[in-house]
Amino acid sequence: MLWDWEFAWSVFPKIVLDGLRITLIATVAGSVLAYLLGLALALLRRSGNPVIRSVTWGFIEFIRSTPLLVQIFFFFFVLPDVGIKFDPLTTGIIALGLHYSTYTAEVYRAGIEAVPAGQWEAAVALSLPPRRTWLAVILPQAIPRVLPALGNYSISMLKETPLLLMIGVLDIVGAADQAGSRAFRYVEPITIAGVLFLLLSYSASLLVRWLERRVAYSN
């Protein structure tokens, strides 16, 4: 029999309770880290210091040009040799957040550049300090414009979390693989994992579309 409902129901709770929890933690925490680091990188790209701009650009290009899996391995296997060590889940979150921050940085940069020049000129005319110009004028207009794009990167990050299995983090796929290896039966657990990812990705895409409509409406 290709599909065994009894076995499927027996492994379903573990995949959902354990694997789904880890997947959501990695995705949410990684997204928050990517958003914050990405904003910092975008601001550094606009620094008046050419050295800072060049170093930031080089860092972004280096991270974007190397595979995420290599970066995960670097954080997990190489950094402990110099005394920097984290547990597998924390390592995965840092790797995901850092990798995707280089993409969100470009999204923020595009949003900032889309703010009309008149807004900058008005801030200068009012003699607003740079900090207040950014926090009260520029970022409140730039960030809503880029929310849908940031959401799309979070969806991409969600689908990258199975890579963390390589360092022992049991996300949905890891929990499914473990359940299948114990019974030497993989059809049910892997199918359940695929369906869960489909539901998560589709739900997240609906949220992103809703954000796109809200942003378009507000503009």
Side-chain angles (χ1 to χ4, degrees), residues 19 21-31 68-77 87-100 156-175 177 197:
R21 178 177 62 86
I22 296 299
T23 295
L24 292 178
I25 290 174
T27 302
V28 172
S31 294
L68 174 57
L69 184 58
V70 172
Q71 295 166 20
I72 293 172
F73 282 165
F74 179 85
F75 281 110
F76 192 71
F77 294 111
D87 64 85
L89 179 57
T90 302
T91 299
I93 290 171
I94 293 174
L96 288 169
L98 180 63
H99 183 81
Y100 277 93
S156 297
M157 186 184 299
L158 168 69
K159 292 183 286 189
E160 296 274 23
T161 54
L163 290 176
L164 303 186
L165 177 61
M166 304 301 294
I167 59 173
V169 177
L170 297 181
D171 71 324
I172 292 175
V173 175
D177 178 70
F197 267 109

Side-chain angles (χ1 to χ4, degrees), residues 93-160:
I93 290 171
I94 293 174
L96 288 169
L98 180 63
H99 183 81
Y100 277 93
S101 70
T102 59
Y103 292 93
T104 59
E106 294 304 301
V107 171
Y108 282 123
R109 188 168 67 88
I112 291 171
E113 292 178 352
V115 175
Q119 299 297 311
W120 296 91
E121 295 169 357
V124 173
L126 294 172
S127 299
L128 295 180
R131 179 183 177 86
R132 183 164 176 77
T133 298
W134 280 105
L135 295 180
V137 179
I138 304 304
L139 292 182
Q141 296 183 66
I143 291 180
R145 300 170 186 265
V146 301
L147 284 178
L150 294 178
N152 284 327
Y153 279 121
S154 289
I155 295 174
S156 297
M157 186 184 299
L158 168 69
K159 292 183 286 189
E160 296 274 23

Side-chain angles (χ1 to χ4, degrees), residues 7 11 14-15 173-186 189:
F7 177 64
V11 300
K14 179 173 179 58
I15 296 174
V173 175
D177 178 70
Q178 188 179 70
S181 63
R182 288 176 177 171
F184 297 101
R185 185 177 181 91
Y186 290 91

Side-chain angles (χ1 to χ4, degrees), residues 18-77:
D18 296 339
L20 180 60
R21 178 177 62 86
I22 296 299
T23 295
L24 292 178
I25 290 174
T27 302
V28 172
S31 294
V32 171
L33 183 59
Y35 296 162
L36 295 177
L37 286 178
L39 180 58
L41 291 172
L43 296 179
L44 290 174
R45 283 288 307 273
R46 297 183 61 87
S47 171
N49 188 319
V51 175
I52 293 178
R53 289 201 307 270
S54 298
V55 170
T56 304
W57 175 84
F59 174 80
I60 290 174
E61 289 302 312
F62 175 78
I63 296 297
R64 292 181 65 169
S65 300
T66 54
L68 174 57
L69 184 58
V70 172
Q71 295 166 20
I72 293 172
F73 282 165
F74 179 85
F75 281 110
F76 192 71
F77 294 111

Side-chain angles (χ1 to χ4, degrees), residues 179-203:
S181 63
R182 288 176 177 171
F184 297 101
R185 185 177 181 91
Y186 290 91
V187 174
E188 292 83 3
I190 295 300
T191 301
I192 292 172
V195 171
L196 286 175
F197 267 109
L198 174 63
L199 293 175
L200 288 172
S201 298
Y202 184 68
S203 299

